[in-house]
Amino acid sequence: MPSNLIVQAPADGVRLITLHRPQALNALNTALLEELAAELHAADQDPQIRAVVITGSRKAFAAGADINEMAERDLVGILDDPRVAHWQSIAGFGKPLIAAVNGFALGGGCELVMCADIVIAGSDARFGQPEINLGILPGAGGTQRLLRAVGKPLAMQMVLGGEAIDARHALQAGLVSEVTEPELTVERALQVAVAIAAKAPLAVRLAKEALLKAQDMDLASGLRFERHAFTLLAGTADRNEGIRAFQEKRPARFQGL
Ligand code: HXC
């Protein structure tokens, strides 16, 4: 049983993972990262789970890597630090991951947000990469994913200056997809997850992969990937079901085949 997470099944096909280290504003220590990586791995393997929502508390989604733990560890051997593998595993989650963010999402917390595919932010959310204040730089994708999300000038301002931005700014910059009242953040994220959970699972998985390719690949390669994925789905039972349901004017019943 994870001790730094609360894991719930609020709806068919949907997992809700709540980061729960309230004494440290959900700072991401090794134990929490390991539990999160394991939980996401299990969700990836479970065909019943179609989408995952990740959230924190009202005060903090996550205030970054655990600075006290960082103080104890030597830099020597950092590349085989288990946290590196946990981060890679979290970032490689293949199913839709929706972040519901209230309060602080700083450092590793902001990087965790950027591992999510869809981000619903409460109006009180704050996003930042304050690592520069500690004499370091973001180490879990914060330079790479932030620049791709918000563009160069704002990424530079946040990473070099350590400035945080509020939810409205994050929306305008492209770091989040929607802003809600803080009380409604998780509810709205769950609504989005429930809607996705009802779609054809293979199409959802390939669509996520294709969209992520757009960040990593040149256009011609990305278009080739999209065409292959489109062709692959043409042979699925769910594609036939989707089209038949449309013609018969009824909801589709997708089975992941
Ligand atoms: C460990 C943390 C923590 C953190 C907060 N706490 N953030 N502990 N690691 N990242 C602890 C505080 O020490 C305190 O514990 C308790 O949580 C409540 O925090 P306060 O500071 O009292 O709250 P507040 O005054 O409201 O300020 C909130 C805050 C501030 C602005 C978020 O806590 C803050 O600046 N935190 C650090 C943010 C940060 O620098 N993040 C980047 C980390 S580096 P006690 O025991 O005193 O009550 C990083 C690198 C990623 O993320 C690399 C990935 C590979």
Side-chain angles (χ1 to χ4, degrees), residues 23-25 27 59 63-67 104 106-108 111 130-131 134 139-140:
Q23 72 280 15
L25 302 185
K59 175 155 184 191
D66 189 305
I67 297 173
F104 297 109
L106 301 178
E111 290 170 305
E131 287 90 340
L134 302 171

Side-chain angles (χ1 to χ4, degrees), residues 101-213:
V101 184
N102 284 321
F104 297 109
L106 301 178
C110 189
E111 290 170 305
L112 181 55
V113 167
M114 291 187 281
C115 289
D117 304 306
I118 296 170
V119 183
I120 310 293
S123 54
D124 62 352
R126 290 189 68 75
F127 301 85
Q129 300 288 163
E131 287 90 340
I132 202 80
N133 299 326
L134 302 171
I136 55 172
L137 83 167
T143 60
Q144 302 305 298
R145 292 197 182 94
L146 188 66
L147 188 135
R148 284 165 169 79
V150 307
K152 178 175 146 186
L154 183 55
M156 289 282 182
Q157 197 168 333
M158 291 172 72
V159 173
L160 305 189
E163 267 184 44
I165 59 172
D166 65 19
R168 303 252 161 235
H169 195 172
L171 179 67
Q172 179 207 337
L175 191 56
V176 315
S177 44
E178 202 174 307
V179 176
T180 63
E181 293 302 312
E183 306 75 43
L184 301 178
T185 314
V186 174
E187 191 178 317
R188 176 65 187 134
L190 287 173
Q191 266 177 12
V192 173
V194 165
I196 292 172
K199 314 293 183 206
L202 290 173
V204 168
R205 194 177 257 277
L206 282 172
K208 167 170 172 167
E209 206 177 335
L211 285 162
L212 290 177
K213 296 281 185 214

